[in-house]
Structures are given as structure tokens and as C-alpha cells.
């Protein structure tokens, strides 16, 4: 069989621990036999990151800007323990944070639907993709504990020195206050990422905020979304046959629980933090959750939503058998191939992405799975496989 040709390389970001092991298995058994793989390889594993003083992370993000599509393996975000374990020169920032700062994007997460592993919410027939605005609000707040009576004020001093002042509260006793901010630029970039991703996946877009109570702050989010939509996306959405709608966050939650799924749900930072955990746990497993960073600059970085699965890696190092689920990492590759194919007009590569996903899902649906899925499934005749055998089984189905 002739291998599928690629015209433009994918940016390949290798990572750490158990997911680094999965990475190699996936390439060897599921990709290299079929694709004449072209990648620009960046080793974001912690050891190599340290050797390059984290420059490799920055280089990989810049390569993503150049080529447009990246696929990333999970990586360790160093903490004090990791600095000791890997004898690091310093406690580097999270690679994902560094990459996101360069690409300026929004992360979209969606559960992978498998027949036989049903979400806890019965009406959800299709995946719900959650988009979280990962900037500002309560995550960049300034807080104060107030010890006794006094007046709290909101003060803005313009660059010209002019002051605007507003009373927050006249305290009669102790209490608390908090200041939050966001910027028009960040909200607009978030809105654009959401509209672009809705178009790229042909799904409806919902956005919810609390503009009835927060008549300036949340209303600004609503207005920027509406203005951006009217100005740049209305016609494109009509052409694609999809819709955008804004509603109150509480109404959005109620609708989501009664919906069939199959749409993108855009959330403010805090709402997205909370709601993504709700959607993912209702769908069963982090190992069945995909994640893609979409930049307003039109570039895409695909990965799994889970981490490096450290506990399994230590077992692997001791020579013990592991049963680590590679599905989200396989879907990171298929997502990247599909997008690369779309950009390059490479139908064979897009078809390969479909085949890879289908082979993976049908393997599980025929009863062969990793341990984490066994307690989630309603299927009867189940075969629990170890990490390598599960990938081999998918290869057989390919
Ligand atoms: P984790 O890798 O997400 O794993 C936590 C637990 O979830 C595992 O111990 C395992 O449970 C289960 N799990 C997750 N993925 C699985 C899979 N594919 N197959 C089977 N079970 C799976 O989180 P962690 O172990 O707490 O974090 C390890 C490292 O990952 C940390 O250093 C963190 O910085 C990093 N991290 C990276 C990213 C990223 O690069 N995007 C994201 C999150 C975390 P059982 O042990 O019960 O089987
Ligand atoms: Mg959270």
C-alpha cells in the first residue's frame, strides 16, 4: 500500500511520562504504517525543556504560528517536587501557558462519544464542546479584607490624570471587597475564536453571561459578542447553516441539561472552569476528552485534556503492566491530520483521520478497552487490555 503523502509538516510537540510512551506506540502502530509522516519535531519533555532553558517551548509555539497546525503530548507543569525529581535549573512555567501566551487562543474541549459508554445526562446524544475564556475576571482579581467601618470606592485614574469614582459600599462593620477586570481586546479575541471554531466544525454557538445583574461588566461581553457577530460572522453563519445565540447563563445551564448536545458552549472564565468539570464528569472520563487551542491568528493546537498519567508511568518504570487509555491522544493526532488536510486540500489525509477515529471507536464498541472504561460501560462481553495490546487491537482494526 502506498503511504499517504503530506505537503506541509505538522508541528509535533512531544511530552512526558506515560503519555510520552503512548505517543511512540501511536506513531509506530497507527500512523507510520499508513502516512509518510512529515513533522517538525519539538521535544517538550521536561528534561529537554530544562536543557534549552524552556526555549524549545517558545520555538514550538512559533513553529505553530508558521505552519498552522500542531499536535501536542501532555507535559509536566513543574512544581517543587518536579524541580527536585528532574534536577531543574528553575521552576519553569506551564508549557501550555507559555504556548497559549504566544498563540493567544481559546481552548475548546469536547467529550468523545462512544456507543456503550453513555453520558449521565440521558438527553445528550452528541458531544457538547465547551469554550472557556481563559483570561481575567476573578482569576486576576484584587481582594481586600475589611476590618471595620469605612467606605469602599472604585476609582479609575485615566492616563490624562482624570479620576472617576464610585462608591461600592459603606461598611458599618467588617467585610470583604474584590476588584475584577477584563479587556475589550481579550473578549473580542475570545469571541472571534468561538465564531471561527463554530464555522470550522459547523456547530451552533451558545454564549451565556449574567447581564441582567452585571449591567456593564457582563453586558460588555454580550455586546462585544453581538457586535463581532453582526460585523464579521453573520453572513458566514447563514451560509454555513448554523446559528449564534446569547442567553442568560442560568438559562443556558437549564437548556444544556435538556439539550441533545452537538453545539459549542462559550463560557466566561469562572463559568467555564466550573461547567467544563460538569460536562466532562457527566461524560465519564478525562481519557475521552479532546482539547484544541484555537488562536484568533487562525492556528490550531490539538492535545488530550488529561495530564501525563504519572501514577501509571511509575508502574511502567517498575516493569508492571499498565492499562492507560490512549484515545484522547489518538484523537489529538486525528484532529491535527484532519485540519492539516483541510488547509492543504489533502483529502487522503482527512480520510485517514476519519479511519483512525473509526477504528479506535469500533475497537471499544466491540468490547476491547482499557481498564478505566470498564466500569463506565454498559456492554456485556468485555476484554480488558493493557496499554500496548489495546493499541495493537486498534491497529488490527485499521
Ligand atoms: P492526569 O495525568 O490527568 O491523571 C490523573 C489520573 O486520572 C490518573 O492517575 C488516572 O487515574 C486517570 N487518568 C488520566 N488520564 C488517563 C488515561 N489516559 N488513561 C487512564 N487513566 C487516566 O493527572 P496527574 O497524574 O495528576 O498529573 C500528571 C502530570 O500531568 C502533572 O505533572 C501535571 O502538571 C500534568 N498535566 C499536564 C496537562 C497537559 O499537558 N495538558 C494537563 C493536566 C496535567 P488512576 O491513577 O486512578 O488510574
Ligand atoms: Mg477547574
Amino acid at each position: 500500500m502506498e503511504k499517504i503523502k503530506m505537503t506541509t509538516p505538522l508541528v509535533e510537540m512531544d511530552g512526558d511520562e506515560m503519555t510520552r510512551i503512548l505517543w511512540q506506540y501511536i506513531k509506530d502502530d497507527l500512523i507510520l504504517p499508513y502516512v509518510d509522516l512529515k513533522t517538525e519535531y519539538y521535544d517538550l519533555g521536561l528534561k529537554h525543556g530544562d536543557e534549552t532553558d524552556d526555549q524549545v517551548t517558545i520555538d514550538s509555539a512559533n513553529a505553530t504560528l508558521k505552519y498552522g497546525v500542531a499536535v501536542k503530548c501532555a507535559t509536566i507543569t513543574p512544581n517543587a517536587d518536579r524541580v527536585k525529581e528532574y534536577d531543574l535549573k528553575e521552576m519553569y512555567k506551564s508549557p501550555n501557558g507559555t504556548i497559549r501566551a504566544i498563540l493567544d487562543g481559546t481552548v475548546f474541549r469536547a467529550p468523545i462519544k462512544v456507543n456503550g459508554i453513555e453520558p449521565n445526562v440521558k438527553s445528550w446524544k452528541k458531544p457538547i464542546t465547551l469554550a472557556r475564556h481563559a483570561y481575567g475576571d476573578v482569576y486576576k482579581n484584587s481582594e481586600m479584607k475589611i476590618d471595620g467601618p469605612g467606605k469602599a470606592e472604585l476609582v479609575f485614574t485615566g492616563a490624562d490624570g482624570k479620576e472617576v469614582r464610585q462608591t461600592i459600599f459603606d461598611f458599618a462593620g467588617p467585610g470583604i471587597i474584590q476588584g475584577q477586570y477584563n479587556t475589550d481586546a481579550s473578549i473580542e479575541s475570545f469571541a472571534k475564536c468561538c465564531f471561527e471554531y463554530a464555522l470550522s466544525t459547523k456547530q451552533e454557538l451558545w454564549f451565556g453571561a449574567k447581564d441582567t445583574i452585571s449591567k456593564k461588566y457582563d453586558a460588555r461581553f454580550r455586546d462585544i459578542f453581538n457586535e463581532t457577530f453582526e460585523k464579521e460572522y453573520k453572513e458566514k453563519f447563514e451560509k454555513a447553516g448554523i446559528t449564534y445565540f446569547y442567553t442568560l447563563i442560568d438559562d443556558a445551564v437549564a437548556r444544556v441539561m435538556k439539550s441533545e448536545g452537538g453545539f459549542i458552549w462559550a463560557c466566561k472564565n469562572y463559568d467555564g472552569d466550573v461547567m467544563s468539570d460538569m460536562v466532562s464528569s457527566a461524560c465519564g472520563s478525562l481519557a475521552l476528552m479532546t482539547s484544541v487551542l484555537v488562536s484568533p491568528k487562525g492556528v490550531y493546537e490539538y492535545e488530550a485534556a488529561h495530564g501525563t498519567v504519572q501514577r501509571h508511568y511509575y508502574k511502567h518504570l517498575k516493569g508492571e503492566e499498565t492499562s492507560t487509555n490512549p484515545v484522547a491522544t489518538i484523537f489529538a493526532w486525528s484532529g491535527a491530520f484532519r485540519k492539516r488536510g483541510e488547509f492543504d486540500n489533502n483529502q487522503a489525509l482527512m480520510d485517514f483521520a476519519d479511519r483512525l477515529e473509526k477504528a479506535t471507536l469500533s475497537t471499544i464498541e466491540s468490547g476491547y478497552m482499557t481498564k478505566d472504561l470498564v466500569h463506565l460501560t454498559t456492554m456485556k462481553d468485555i476484554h480488558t487490555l493493557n496499554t500496548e495490546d489495546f493499541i495493537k487491537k486498534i491497529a488490527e482494526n485499521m
Side-chain angles (χ1 to χ4, degrees), residues 181-372:
Y181 73 91
N182 225 301
T183 65
D184 282 12
S186 174
I187 300 167
E188 191 182 330
S189 148
F190 175 53
K192 281 187 175 168
C193 291
C194 291
F195 291 128
E196 287 292 339
Y197 197 62
L199 283 170
S200 132
T201 58
K202 299 228 168 15
Q203 296 186 87
E204 266 181 50
L205 176 67
W206 302 12
F207 177 49
K210 195 71 182 174
D211 61 317
T212 46
I213 299 298
S214 172
K215 291 190 168 68
K216 295 218 167 84
Y217 199 103
D218 279 26
R220 190 74 193 128
F221 278 80
R222 176 201 62 206
D223 292 347
I224 289 177
F225 264 74
N226 282 343
E227 285 157 21
T228 309
F229 181 69
E230 290 294 326
K231 209 164 60 199
E232 290 179 48
Y233 291 98
K234 199 173 176 189
E235 276 169 31
K236 291 183 191 164
F237 267 53
E238 273 166 14
K239 245 198 206 145
I242 55 174
T243 52
Y244 162 65
F245 91 100
Y246 171 84
T247 184
L248 265 180
I249 180 67
D250 26 353
D251 179 51
V253 170
R255 284 172 189 251
V256 163
M257 298 311 285
K258 289 184 283 188
S259 77
E260 274 205 354
F263 54 87
I264 298 165
W265 183 13
C267 288
K268 288 180 61 202
N269 209 350
Y270 174 81
D271 298 336
D273 186 353
V274 177
M275 292 305 158
S276 63
D277 278 10
M278 182 194 75
V279 172
S280 64
S281 51
C283 291
S285 164
L286 261 192
L288 291 180
M289 182 73 61
T290 62
S291 183
V292 53
L293 175 70
V294 179
S295 151
K297 297 165 181 144
V299 310
Y300 295 74
E301 182 231 305
Y302 292 83
E303 65 175 330
H306 59 77
T308 60
V309 211
Q310 181 180 18
R311 216 178 60 81
H312 295 207
Y313 181 58
Y314 289 157
K315 276 176 77 178
H316 173 83
L317 286 183
K318 280 194 262 168
E320 291 171 30
E321 185 169 79
T322 57
S323 184
T324 313
N325 189 333
V327 173
T329 306
I330 294 172
F331 274 62
W333 277 99
S334 58
F337 282 133
R338 187 176 292 110
K339 184 53 76 181
R340 188 70 269 163
E342 207 181 293
F343 280 171
D344 295 348
N345 232 328
N346 185 342
Q347 189 62 44
L349 200 58
M350 288 190 266
D351 292 346
F352 174 73
D354 292 345
R355 273 210 315 278
L356 179 56
E357 291 180 359
K358 218 171 137 197
T360 305
L361 295 179
S362 72
T363 302
I364 303 173
E365 285 163 1
S366 61
Y368 294 87
M369 59 191 76
T370 44
K371 208 163 152 189
D372 56 306

Side-chain angles (χ1 to χ4, degrees), residues 133-145:
H133 181 215
Y135 180 78
D137 299 354
V138 74
Y139 301 86
K140 293 270 184 196
N141 67 15
S142 309
E143 303 184 314
M144 241 184 241
K145 210 165 154 294

Side-chain angles (χ1 to χ4, degrees), residues 55-67:
Q55 184 61 36
V56 64
T57 310
I58 295 164
D59 292 346
S60 72
N62 286 328
T64 307
L65 287 176
K66 177 173 166 199
Y67 291 113

Side-chain angles (χ1 to χ4, degrees), residues 116-129:
I117 296 175
E118 304 310 328
N120 293 329
V121 181
K122 285 198 199 81
S123 62
W124 291 357
K125 306 279 178 242
K126 289 179 251 168
I128 293 168
T129 302

